[in-house]
Amino acid sequence: MADKIAMNPDGTLHVPDNPTIPFIIGDGIGPDIWRAAVRVFDRAVEKYYGAARKITWKEVLAGEKAFQETGNWLPPETLEAFRAYLVGIKGPLTTPIGGGIRSLNVALRKELDLYVCLRPTTWYPGTPSPVKHPEDVDMVIFRENTEDIYAGIEFAAGSIQADKIQAFMAGELNVNYGFSDTTGVGIKLVSEEGSKRLVRAAIQYAITHKRPSVAIVHKGNIMKFTEGAFKQWGFEVAEEEFANTTYTWGQWERTKQAKGQEAANEEQREAEQAGKIIVKDIIADNFLQQILLAPKDYAVVATLNLNGDYISDALAAMVGGIGIAPGANINYRTGHAIFEATHGTAPRFADTDSMNPSSVILSGVMMLEYLGWQEAADGIRQALAETIKQRTVTVDFFNLMEHATLLRTSQFADAIIEKF
Ligand code: NAD
């Protein structure tokens, strides 16, 4: 009998053998890629666990399909299902144009307080890439998902709100901006709690997955009390909560000031030899250079919302583009998680059975790992890697590869399943 995934009192997940998992099929190419992906998930679970385990899929509505059937882009029952069943998966959704909901994805993240946007970027051999050594890219991005300028607190130029804020700034804070009547206003909020829970999750991940470093990526040289504070709070989490397992560049800096650079370097070497995770920081613009110049130097990345948006796509491009980049939105405290294809609905290609289902398939792999169903997750990942290595691929990769065989979305799923 189908059962609910739940959070145990000790913070671990209770995963029944027959969990109910809500899914949103998605708009545009969503149905094509979902139909391919769900066959892969079911066959993998069957192959690795026989009759002992099975997922019961529960469709919930969002996006165009929801609007057509209920008149609501994001019906309350959908949110309720994700809240009740804890773990879900979704295809891409059309962003409604006009008033009301700004973005369905943002609404889901906000409602469930899914504060981590998790984006692993790993290269699968054979995948077309614009860089010479895509195999050097193996990073996991922890992007803060609820705060920052990205939270969308903004007011149009000439609006009463924009005028009031500017009048307050001029009158109370002595901040005058030149073009007040024609200036839109956006507000950047970064909190200690929001920063710390994100960096905490990144460090915890590095410990669990035995990764050597966590890089805090920020623009704190310019935005000192938001991005700079994010870095500071990140180092504090490491030093206060993970003192036995991490060494921070904040500590290195203090040792350098007290005892000189050589002593600081020696301290860091000792920490590395002891297997400690190095928690370092880097300015965001430099980071975007370094991922091209020295990607091997980075493993886990912790960053704010807007930086994370840019970084995720830049790294995804290096390992094969949005057709293959998976993602998840997670609240590690409540256990709520929604796994998702990171690309959009590509509406021109809807119902063509031609697009790449790898992004949603690998998101499902992340979900299986989150449930602790590691054998099925590994099995799918290996079979997908093998399928790409054999150059049997969908059109996006086919166009960039030599001697490849073109597969439809459904055939790509068949090719994976054959390899189990
Ligand atoms: P898009 O990602 O839908 O498509 C851009 C291009 O990328 C496509 O034309 C296609 O060539 C390629 N592409 C995308 N997915 C692919 C796949 N699986 N396989 C192969 N190629 C693929 O971006 P867009 O055109 O800017 O957005 C279309 C709609 O999707 C908009 O309504 C947008 O708001 C929405 N969107 C949703 C999400 C989401 O739900 N997570 C993310 C981004 C955009």
Side-chain angles (χ1 to χ4, degrees):
M1 206 187 74
D3 203 354
K4 278 185 185 158
I5 297 168
M7 195 70 161
N8 291 318
D10 68 356
T12 59
L13 274 192
H14 160 75
V15 182
D17 286 332
N18 187 359
T20 298
I21 297 188
F23 73 95
I24 296 170
I25 198 161
D27 299 323
I29 61 171
D32 272 352
I33 58 172
W34 173 257
R35 277 193 289 265
V38 76
R39 284 197 291 123
V40 171
F41 305 147
D42 285 343
R43 291 298 299 276
V45 171
E46 191 186 331
K47 154 88 186 159
Y48 289 96
Y49 309 115
R53 285 179 176 168
K54 187 173 174 20
I55 295 171
T56 299
W57 300 102
K58 175 184 169 66
E59 183 170 7
V60 292
L61 298 177
E64 278 168 23
K65 188 171 179 185
F67 189 68
Q68 279 156 15
E69 291 187 18
T70 70
N72 192 341
W73 286 93
L74 187 60
E77 301 81 47
T78 297
L79 279 173
E80 206 32 64
F82 283 122
R83 205 170 274 129
Y85 292 98
L86 225 59
V87 174
I89 185 163
K90 63 174 278 293
L93 294 172
T94 306
T95 301
I97 297 170
I101 294 179
R102 229 176 232 255
S103 154
L104 299 171
N105 296 311
V106 173
L108 282 167
R109 288 171 204 167
K110 256 196 187 144
E111 279 295 324
L112 297 169
D113 194 23
L114 305 173
Y115 59 88
V116 169
C117 177
L118 182 61
R119 294 275 184 92
T121 42
T122 309
W123 183 71
Y124 289 90
T127 305
S129 162
V131 298
K132 281 188 191 153
H133 291 290
E135 69 278 10
D136 288 352
V137 181
D138 186 12
M139 291 182 222
V140 179
I141 306 156
F142 279 73
R143 165 187 171 190
E144 204 289 323
N145 223 1
T146 62
E147 300 192 336
D148 197 6
I149 192 81
Y150 208 98
I153 305 169
E154 54 171 23
F155 305 101
S159 65
I160 294 169
Q161 295 93 328
D163 288 349
K164 275 192 172 172
I165 290 170
Q166 289 179 83
F168 172 78
M169 282 166 46
E172 304 283 324
L173 308 179
N174 207 23
V175 177
N176 284 296
Y177 190 79
F179 310 102
S180 59
D181 289 349
T182 53
T183 301
V185 176
I187 296 184
K188 183 176 175 86
L189 297 173
V190 176
S191 72
E192 181 175 349
E193 293 83 348
S195 301
K196 284 190 166 175
R197 65 182 184 174
L198 186 273
V199 176
R200 187 177 296 121
I203 295 174
Q204 197 63 60
Y205 181 96
I207 293 171
T208 309
H209 293 84
K210 302 194 171 32
R211 303 302 302 264
S213 68
V214 174
I216 299 175
V217 180
H218 62 90
K219 197 68 192 151
N221 54 331
I222 304 297
M223 292 168 273
K224 296 184 193 311
F225 304 123
T226 49
E227 304 249 346
F230 173 73
K231 171 188 98 171
Q232 190 51 42
W233 289 321
F235 283 157
E236 280 175 24
V237 167
E239 290 168 17
E240 288 166 12
E241 300 175 27
F242 299 95
N244 295 331
T245 41
T246 64
Y247 179 79
T248 71
W249 279 11
Q251 177 60 45
W252 182 91
E253 196 63 52
R254 289 196 297 277
T255 303
K256 181 186 158 198
Q257 271 166 21
K259 301 181 192 165
Q261 184 148 343
E262 201 30 61
N265 288 343
E266 180 57 26
E267 191 177 75
Q268 179 169 339
R269 265 196 300 275
E270 278 172 17
E272 278 165 350
Q273 276 159 11
K276 289 193 171 183
I277 293 160
I278 304 301
V279 181
K280 49 193 176 182
D281 79 287
I282 177 164
I283 307 276
D285 41 340
N286 185 19
F287 184 67
L288 286 169
Q289 282 193 79
Q290 296 307 322
I291 58 174
L292 291 166
L293 300 173
K296 273 186 175 169
D297 290 354
Y298 300 93
V300 177
V301 175
T303 192
L304 286 169
N305 210 338
L306 181 61
N307 293 332
D309 192 39
Y310 302 148
I311 291 166
S312 306
D313 275 24
L315 282 170
M318 290 171 73
V319 296
I322 51 179
I324 195 169
N329 301 289
I330 304 177
N331 181 322
Y332 287 97
R333 288 197 287 209
T334 61
H336 283 114
I338 299 182
F339 296 80
E340 65 172 352
T342 57
H343 54 75
T345 59
R348 275 200 309 133
F349 301 98
D351 304 317
T352 57
D353 193 27
S354 66
M355 292 286 101
N356 193 342
S358 297
S359 174
V360 73
I361 291 174
L362 290 171
S363 304
V365 167
M366 291 172 73
M367 185 182 78
L368 293 168
E369 279 180 336
Y370 188 72
L371 302 183
W373 294 14
Q374 194 64 45
E375 302 80 4
D378 290 343
I380 298 174
R381 197 183 272 120
Q382 274 163 20
L384 184 139
E386 193 59 30
T387 305
I388 294 172
K389 211 166 159 195
Q390 292 178 352
R391 298 169 193 261
T392 45
V393 290
T394 46
V395 63
D396 50 330
F397 286 3
F398 177 81
N399 287 338
L400 301 170
M401 276 177 163
E402 282 174 4
H403 314 298
T405 306
L406 177 62
L407 297 185
R408 301 204 150 277
T409 310
S410 50
Q411 293 170 323
F412 187 77
D414 295 338
I416 294 174
I417 290 168
E418 273 168 24
K419 293 181 184 63
F420 288 153

